Amino acid sequence: MVNPYAGTVRAPEFPAGLKWFNSAPLSMKDLRGKLVILDFWTYC
C-alpha cells in the first residue's frame, strides 16, 4: 500500500539565531527520517 501522505508537507527551517535549551542547534536536515515529538506546555 502506498502512503498518500508521504512527502507532501515540508517543514520550514528553524530561524537563524534561535535559542536552544538542552540541545545543540538542530536543522531540518538533522531531523530527517527521525520521529519528532513537540510538547507544548504552560505553567497556568
Side-chain angles (χ1 to χ4, degrees), residues 3-43:
N3 183 348
Y5 301 106
T8 59
V9 176
R10 297 275 182 208
E13 192 59 53
F14 295 111
L18 190 66
K19 191 174 203 179
W20 289 82
F21 297 99
N22 299 324
S23 173
L26 297 170
S27 69
M28 288 296 132
K29 183 179 177 183
D30 297 330
L31 298 174
R32 183 177 297 267
K34 296 180 181 166
L35 176 65
V36 177
I37 298 173
L38 300 177
D39 183 15
F40 296 94
W41 52 272
T42 180
Y43 285 114

